[in-house]
Amino acid sequence: MEDQRKPLATKNGEGNSRLPMFGSKLRPPSTVKRPRSPEEKQDNKRRCLDYSERTVETRARKSSETSKVSGKTGSSLTRQRSETSLNRSTVSNTSLRSTNSGSSLRANNVRPKANTAVVKPTAKAASCTNTRPPPARGAQGTVRLATSKTSSSNKPPAGNGGGGGKKRPAWDLKGRLEDMEAKLEKQTNNREGLVNQMETQNQRIISLESMNQQLSGTVSIKENIVSQASEEITDLKRKLRQEEDKHDEVQRGLQREISDMTFLKETLSRQNDSLQSDLNARRVEVDGLKASVAQLTSAQAGMGAELENTKLRLEQAVTSNKTKDTEIERLRNLLENRDREIEEQNCQIRSHETERRKLHNQIQELKGNIRVFCRVRPLLGDETLGNDGMISHMNFPDQEQRIIELDKTGDATLNESCLTKKGGNNAQSKYEFGFDKVFSDHTSQQQVFEEISQLVQSALDGYNVCIFAYGQTGSGKTYTMEGTSVNDVDNRGMIPRAVLQIFDSTRELESKGWKYALDASFLEIYNETIHDLLGDEDLKHDIKMSGQKNSNEVFVTNLTIVPVTKEEMVYQLLQKASKNRSVGETKCNERSSRSHSVFTLKLTGENSITGETSQGTLNLVDLAGSERLKESGSEGQRMKETLAINKSLSNLGNVIMAIGNKDNHIPYRNSKLTYLLQNSLGGNSKTLMFVNVSPKEECFQETLNSLRFATKVNQCNIGTAQQKR
Ligand code: ADP
Ligand code: MG
């Protein structure tokens, strides 16, 4: 038990220093009394009590063991021990009494066991508490002390005999016997008293032992409780630390939150300020709005009335709408019928278009597949001087504009035959020529074009059309074909006008199911050599026949072919051609007058509804100047040019005449021009020749030549043109 208690004492840090060990020297109690707190006093009291109990228990155990060893019975042992203890107690108490007060000794005598055991704890307890020994408990201690005193006082003085302190003589046997009996009786009385006392003590010991056992049990329970409490304390301390940590953590978190909240508060405060100012502004605004609302409310009232009115009108409208719906339905049916009719009519139109093409062609054929138009240009600039711009030697007598008369007064060195001759020696020659159309010097480009537009239409219908401009240099060929400038709308020539008409017509024909692709090319034949007027580089060009079967299509190698999708593109092409010509020759007009330029537009059409196709070609040819150049006297380049021009122009006439005469052989190959245009001259083509004449009188002879050439061409009847399908 002591081992179990030691840790407790040690734990408190007091046990070893304050509780004396058995056998240690007893110290007298300190006379100086230190003031104690009530708790401390209570603690000390408890500790002393514990110690006393422990001591009692130890002693009991030891005695128990001893009794076991000696084999004596418990009761005898107890009795013996009690006696011994009693004796010792008497001795010790006596000795102690000499140094301590009586009350202290009485307290010590409360101890139920041997005197040593009683005295020691008291001393130790005194040492432990530094107080006086505990006070006496019970009256028995007092009785015992009294007994001890009695015993001590009843003791006969040393050397005394019986009988009143006087030693009996040896012979006084009777006296001595009486003394002895008295003594014995006293002893017997004493003994009985002692025995009684001992029994009392023994009973007390037994009750104390049982009490001790009870206390031991209580102590062990308490110890367990203490141990558990200690563990609980440790646990609680640990928990406390954890809780403290948590608390710290929470506190830090709260600190952070506080600082955050502070910041938030400041921010909110600022926001509040701004909101406040905002609010003020809003209030002002609200006031304004309130005023507006008031206005609007009054306006709303007006609107309400209007709305009512509108509702009324709406109801009327709904009623009228219903009527209209019925009407719409009726009209829809009507429209559907109309659509059907339109579709039928479109169908008819398409068939009419085919019919129109046939009739148009018949008219063209009746007009002749080769036609010649004569055009006289006006006098220009200085040419008008002295004549007021009137051409004196030319007449246009008929209303139909088909005849041109030339008058030549004076000694004309003309050998040609005259249509009429007036006068005698002073010969005046008058020549009359008839053509399909004669355009006087007052005829505008538009008037001229109106006469050729039907041929342009034929090209769209799938025929090959060839329009030539023949005449001497300066007679107005280029003017007729190209005009002065594409930007000069009134003076635009036949090429831009033809293109414009073609685009207009293709747009119209689209509604009839026709879609056209237009491809343009522009070339120049100079000295029997082909030059590409739309190309960027000077390449060699040859005229070739298409290798395809049943096709005698002619094409030029390396020739630039430009797909044209809008009119403006053609103007650009004309400008580019003009630029290319001027690059080739510094004296542009000189070069152009000695070369043929051929503008070709291929028109490929397809009708997606009827499935019809058409492929026509429109050739617009500005021929080289037809003026007769004397071969003799010309040299070098000039000679070569002259030969080439004469050859090609005369060959053109020959080809046309051969066609008219229905010759077996048509000399197309004799010149590049006729070879190139072979498909546009002859049976399956329509040919128009402008013979341009100069109004200048000095050009009379050349004019005459031109008109004669044109007449020759006009007299040819080229076979019926065939539409290409
Ligand atoms: P060619 O091409 O036959 O050599 P041009 O067409 O160059 O002749 O005509 C020569 C000049 O006469 C040009 O300045 C041209 O503008 C002008 N000219 C020709 N025909 C007419 C006409 N019908 N109206 C006005 N000017 C014309
Ligand atoms: Mg010209």
Side-chain angles (χ1 to χ4, degrees), residues 360-369 463 686 720-722:
H360 177 80
N361 192 48
Q362 278 176 12
I363 292 165
Q364 298 310 309
E365 280 174 3
L366 288 170
K367 281 185 175 178
N369 280 337
Y463 295 93
K686 299 176 191 309
T720 309
Q722 299 292 313

Side-chain angles (χ1 to χ4, degrees), residues 472-479 482 581 588-589 592-595 597 622-625:
Q472 69 175 114
T473 300
S475 60
K477 298 184 297 295
T478 305
Y479 176 84
E482 296 180 25
R581 263 190 213 152
C588 173
N589 195 45
S592 71
S593 69
R594 285 174 177 76
S595 65
S597 67
D622 186 356
L623 293 167

Side-chain angles (χ1 to χ4, degrees), residues 181-297:
E181 279 173 356
K183 205 175 178 180
L184 184 64
E185 195 181 348
K186 208 192 279 180
Q187 287 287 339
T188 305
N189 288 338
N190 279 344
R191 193 175 174 273
E192 280 171 2
L194 284 171
V195 165
N196 287 338
Q197 215 176 1
M198 196 178 70
E199 278 173 1
T200 312
Q201 291 298 330
N202 278 343
Q203 280 170 0
R204 186 173 161 71
I205 285 165
I206 288 163
S207 76
L208 283 171
E209 275 177 351
S210 72
M211 218 164 90
N212 180 36
Q213 277 172 359
Q214 282 176 6
L215 287 169
S216 295
T218 311
V219 164
S220 94
I221 289 164
K222 298 278 186 212
E223 275 176 354
N224 283 338
I225 289 166
V226 166
S227 154
Q228 283 173 4
S230 166
E231 282 170 10
E232 270 176 35
I233 286 164
T234 313
D235 197 34
L236 285 170
K237 275 182 181 171
R238 185 174 50 77
K239 281 182 182 169
L240 183 67
R241 273 195 300 278
Q242 286 176 353
E243 288 302 321
E244 278 173 354
D245 290 346
K246 276 185 195 168
H247 176 260
D248 288 350
E249 185 62 31
V250 169
Q251 202 170 12
R252 278 195 296 277
L254 284 172
Q255 280 295 345
R256 275 197 301 276
E257 272 183 35
I258 285 165
S259 64
D260 286 353
M261 292 302 281
T262 310
F263 179 73
L264 192 68
K265 190 185 159 192
E266 286 168 2
T267 312
L268 285 171
S269 166
R270 278 196 298 277
Q271 280 182 356
N272 185 38
D273 290 348
S274 92
L275 282 171
Q276 193 60 45
S277 62
D278 221 25
L279 184 68
N280 292 337
R282 289 279 183 273
R283 275 192 184 130
V284 174
E285 201 178 333
V286 164
D287 289 344
L289 285 170
K290 272 179 186 168
S292 301
V293 165
Q295 283 177 354
L296 286 171
T297 310

Side-chain angles (χ1 to χ4, degrees), residues 293-390:
V293 165
Q295 283 177 354
L296 286 171
T297 310
S298 63
Q300 193 191 10
M303 294 287 277
E306 205 176 321
L307 186 69
E308 278 305 313
N309 196 16
T310 308
K311 269 182 188 168
L312 207 67
R313 283 212 304 270
L314 186 69
E315 279 168 15
Q316 288 169 353
V318 166
T319 320
S320 103
N321 258 5
K322 279 178 187 164
T323 321
K324 278 177 185 164
D325 280 350
T326 322
E327 182 65 12
I328 284 169
E329 189 57 35
R330 192 183 68 77
L331 288 171
R332 197 170 281 152
N333 291 335
L334 202 69
L335 198 67
E336 279 173 10
N337 290 337
R338 289 277 185 280
D339 281 349
R340 270 195 296 277
E341 279 173 26
I342 287 168
E343 185 52 38
E344 282 168 16
Q345 279 171 3
N346 276 342
C347 212
Q348 281 178 6
I349 286 169
R350 281 194 290 277
S351 66
H352 287 163
E353 170 65 17
T354 314
E355 190 65 21
R356 183 202 62 76
R357 289 185 182 216
K358 276 184 199 164
L359 291 170
H360 177 80
N361 192 48
Q362 278 176 12
I363 292 165
Q364 298 310 309
E365 280 174 3
L366 288 170
K367 281 185 175 178
N369 280 337
I370 181 158
R371 270 173 272 173
V372 178
F373 290 174
C374 174
R375 188 180 194 189
V376 181
R377 76 157 171 84
L379 289 163
L380 302 163
D382 292 349
E383 295 166 2
T384 58
L385 293 174
N387 54 27
D388 286 339
M390 298 291 287

